[in-house]
Amino acid sequence: MKFTEDHEWLRVEGDLIVVGITEHAAEQLGDVVFVELPELETQVARGDEVCVIESVKAASDILAPLEGEIVAVNDALSDNPSLVNEDPTGDAWFFKLKIDDMGALDEFMSEDEYKDFIS
Amino acid sequence: MTETLRTCLYDLHLELGARMVPFAGYQMPVQYPMGVMGEHQHTRSRAGLFDVSHMGQVILGARDAAATLETLVPVDIQGLAEGRQRYALFTNDDGGILDDLMVANRGDHLFLVVNAACKAQDIAHLQAHLAGVEAVTDRALIALQGPEAEGALARLVPGVAAMRFMDVITLDWDGTALWISRSGYTGEDGFEISVPETRAEALCRALLAMPEVAPIGLGARDSLRLEAGLCLYGHDIDATTSPVEAGLTWAIQKVRRTGGARAGGFPGAGRILRELADGPARLRVGLSPATRAPMREGTPLFATEEGTDPVGIVTSGGFGPTVGAPVSMGYLPPGLAIPDTRVFGEVRGKRLAARVVPLPFRPSTYRK
C-alpha cells in the first residue's frame, strides 16, 4: 500500500489502483455523514477533486492521486457514510482508478514514510 | 497575532483528550474522544457537561438597572421576577442585533450572560449607559444538559430538583456558592452553573465521576443548538438582522410593543415596531434538504431550480444527529417562508432541493 501527502492510501488491484483515506485522515475528519462519489468512466487529471466527504464539522475533497479513468465507485459509502470511520483502510474505499503506468506509484510514500510524515 | 486565552478548565480538557481549537479568542475543546456524533447523542439521552467559561458574565448592580437596561433591549426587564431569567437582545439604532444574552434577576442585581465574541463590546455598551457594570472575571461557567442532568446535579446540590425552566438560584455546594439557572442552549432540560474558578475543576470532576455525565465539545454544542432551532450570533443573527426577521418576536413582550405601557424606547424601535405591525422583508426558516448532502452556512437559496438570482441564504447548516438527516436554517422572503415550500440550495454548483420546515427540528424538553 502507498500513501499520499493528501492522506490517501493507494492499493494495487491488478491494473487498477484502489483509493481511500487513511485512518489518520478519518480521525481528523470526525464522523462522516455524507459522501459524494464521482461518475463512472470519468477521466480525471491528477489533483482533480473527485469526491466530497462531509463530516459533522465540514466538507473536504478527495483528490485524484494520478491521471486516469474512474472504473468503479463504492456505492456502500452513499448508504452508510460512517463506514469511513469504521473501516477507513478496508471496506471504505472510494473509487478505483485505471492508470497507464503503475510505475507512477513509486513516488508515493511507504507506510513507514507516511507514519513519519504524520508524526 | 493576538494570544488565545484559556479557561480555567484548559488542563482538564487536555486530560480528557479534547481536541482544542481557537474560538472567540479562547482555546476551546471542539470534541473529546467520543466524537461529535456520540457527544450529541449522549447529551440527548443522558447528560453532557460543557465548558462555557469563555462567555461573558456581567453584574448590573445599580438600583435602576432594570429600567436602564430596557433602554438597550426590546425586552420586559422591569417585569422580570426575582429568581427568574429571560432571553434578551441588544439592538442597534437600525434595529439590528448587537448580541443575544440571558438576563437574570438575582434580587439585588441583574446577572447577564453574553456571547464570548461580543463580550468586550457588550460591556463597553453597558458601561456607556449604566453605572455599576461589573464584569465577573473570577468565575467559570459550565452547562449540564440532557434528560439526566437534574439527577446528576441534584446529587451534589439537591435544591436544583425544585427548579423550573428559567429559574435562577444560589445554592451551596461544599461551602461554595453556585449561581445556577435552569436553562441552556441545546433544547434539552439542563442547567448553567457559575462557579468560582478555584472550585470549577473540582465541580467538573465531581460531575464527570458520575456514569451518566460526559464532557461535550463545541462541535456537538453547535449541532444540538441547530436542531433546537436556536440562533448562533454572528451566523443566524447579526447587526443587520432584526429580531422580527429572526423570528425572535417571542422575546419582545407586549409591554414593549406598540400600545404597551413601556412601548419602544430601545434602539431601533422604529424598524422593529414597524416590522411587528407590517411584517419583515425576510424571515428565518428551517430547511430540510432533500438529499443527504448538508447545506452549510453561505449556501445561496433559489426559488426555482433554474433561478438566476438568489432569494435567500443559509446561515447555519450541518448534519442533525438526532434528526438523522441534514438540517439548515436560513433567510427567505415571507412569501417563501411557509412550511412545505420547496426551494433550492446551490451546493458545489448543483441545485439541490430543500423543504421549508417549522423550527425547531427537534422539540425541546424544558421543564416548564
Side-chain angles (χ1 to χ4, degrees), chain A residues 27-28 31 54-55 57, chain B residues 19 31 37 296 348:
Chain A
E27 197 205 301
Q28 291 297 314
D31 302 299
E54 296 259 11
S55 75
K57 281 171 280 182
Chain B
R19 188 182 301 164
Q31 66 169 85
M37 199 90 87
R296 297 190 188 270
R348 294 180 287 273

Side-chain angles (χ1 to χ4, degrees), chain B residues 102-160:
Chain B
M102 298 299 284
V103 181
N105 179 349
R106 290 179 33 87
D108 61 354
H109 66 272
L110 297 177
F111 177 62
L112 277 46
V113 176
V114 302
N115 280 304
C118 302
K119 68 181 174 187
Q121 167 203 311
D122 289 344
I123 290 166
H125 184 56
L126 286 163
Q127 283 172 336
H129 294 88
L130 280 87
V133 177
E134 182 200 335
V136 179
T137 54
D138 58 354
R139 296 181 81 94
L141 190 67
I142 60 173
L144 188 69
Q145 303 278 294
E148 297 187 27
E150 179 192 295
L153 189 57
R155 252 172 272 152
L156 303 181
V157 274
V160 297

Side-chain angles (χ1 to χ4, degrees), chain B residues 3 28 40 55 57 61 102 132 150-151 159 177 180 207 237 260 270 297 308 318 322 346 363 365:
Chain B
E3 199 183 338
M28 296 301 290
H40 180 112
M55 298 185 80
Q57 304 180 58
M102 298 299 284
E150 179 192 295
I180 303 175
L207 290 167
I237 48 176
E297 181 177 1
T308 46
T322 305
E346 188 165 295
T365 56

Side-chain angles (χ1 to χ4, degrees), chain B residues 292-313:
Chain B
R292 288 186 71 84
M295 287 185 190
R296 297 190 188 270
E297 181 177 1
T299 302
L301 297 170
F302 298 84
T304 64
E305 200 165 358
E306 299 80 24
T308 46
D309 297 318
V311 292
I313 191 160

Side-chain angles (χ1 to χ4, degrees), chain A residues 35-75:
Chain A
V35 172
E36 190 174 290
L37 296 164
E39 300 280 329
L40 283 178
E41 296 171 23
T42 311
Q43 295 291 332
V44 296
R46 181 178 184 142
D48 279 0
E49 294 160 5
V50 288
C51 299
V52 178
I53 311 178
E54 296 259 11
S55 75
V56 280
K57 281 171 280 182
S60 8
D61 297 306
I62 296 191
L63 310 179
L66 290 164
E67 184 181 344
E69 183 188 349
I70 306 278
V71 294
V73 296
N74 187 359
D75 287 322

